[in-house]
Amino acid sequence: MDKQRILPILQVDDVLLSSDILTEYFCCDLDRCHGVCCVEGDAGAPVSLDEVGELENALDVVWPDLSAAAQAVIDKQGVVYTDRDGDLVTSIVGGKDCVFTCYEQGCCLCALEKVYRAGKTGWCKPISCSLYPIRERRFSNGMVGLNYHCWAICRDAVALGKKNNVRVYQFLKEPLTRRFGAAWYEKLQQLAKAMNVE
């Protein structure tokens, strides 16, 4: 029986993170995966209470890009629901698609990000979506935990990351900086440098 490898936990300020965030390669390859991470899974994307308001504020702008099925789900239960673990998550259609997905040329896209990039809104999407493949967990003592979620559907992203020499934390520089600040990200880079993985 193979023993599971236990990765060291690192700390930057009040954030604990698995070391594979610094060591593993990752770079989304939308041409290969077609955005399947917004479809696969057993629940919607985790959201905070503040983000619920942002989702509702963006609803009128994003509405035309949503499928009729997604519109019906939102009309019935709203933009979010509480999943079986007690977490607030985006509503889903048919047990899989996030209600904010849209399709273009066979590729699943985030309708929220689409209108944001078009300059129609000032908010992009939930931070849990922006941070993927990092998953965040908040602890009762105020600490935050970050783990790299290694998923088979992202194997093309791992391959592209290796090809382009891009690590998980480098690929996610913008959302990590947005979530924790530029000074925090600078400390993360210094930690990577000390580990010879920059």
Side-chain angles (χ1 to χ4, degrees):
M1 177 185 240
D2 291 336
K3 291 184 179 178
Q4 186 176 6
R5 190 169 66 121
I6 298 174
L7 298 168
I9 300 298
L10 308 171
Q11 184 170 352
V12 178
D13 296 337
D14 60 352
V15 180
L16 302 173
L17 59 148
S18 59
S19 58
D20 51 358
I21 290 172
L22 300 183
T23 60
E24 295 299 316
Y25 295 96
F26 194 93
C27 185
C28 277
D29 193 348
L30 200 56
D31 291 335
R32 299 292 299 267
C33 73
H34 306 292
V36 71
C37 64
C38 294
V39 178
E40 295 296 329
D42 56 4
V47 295
S48 67
L49 285 175
D50 290 341
E51 289 174 328
V52 174
E54 296 286 3
L55 291 170
E56 290 172 344
N57 289 341
L59 203 49
D60 286 343
V61 180
V62 80
W63 193 258
D65 289 318
L66 305 183
S67 69
Q71 292 172 349
V73 169
I74 293 170
D75 282 339
K76 183 177 180 180
Q77 73 178 34
V79 294
V80 298
Y81 72 102
T82 303
D83 71 5
R84 65 176 178 230
D85 296 324
D87 297 322
L88 207 55
V89 296
T90 58
S91 293
I92 55 176
V93 179
K96 56 177 196 168
D97 289 51
C98 171
V99 289
F100 292 102
T101 57
C102 62
Y103 290 85
E104 288 184 7
Q105 299 174 340
C107 191
C108 178
L109 302 173
C110 176
L112 293 164
E113 185 170 2
K114 180 181 172 186
V115 296
Y116 170 78
R117 292 190 183 278
K120 296 178 181 177
T121 62
W123 183 79
C124 186
K125 58 186 176 182
I127 194 66
S128 67
C129 299
S130 297
L131 283 175
Y132 194 79
I134 291 178
R135 291 218 168 136
E136 178 179 331
R137 182 175 181 183
R138 297 176 192 198
F139 300 107
S140 58
N141 63 0
M143 299 284 284
V144 173
L146 300 179
N147 286 301
Y148 167 50
H149 181 233
C150 186
W151 198 5
I153 65 170
C154 292
R155 63 184 168 274
D156 291 317
V158 173
L160 187 60
K162 285 180 182 175
K163 178 182 176 184
N164 295 336
N165 196 32
V166 176
R167 312 279 181 161
V168 174
Y169 80 97
Q170 293 168 323
F171 175 70
L172 296 174
K173 178 179 180 179
E174 187 278 327
L176 284 168
T177 300
R178 179 162 45 107
R179 173 65 179 90
F180 299 106
W184 182 90
Y185 189 81
E186 176 64 28
K187 291 177 184 178
L188 185 66
Q189 286 181 304
Q190 292 301 317
L191 185 57
K193 185 176 182 178
M195 294 173 61
N196 294 315
V197 293
E198 59 177 338

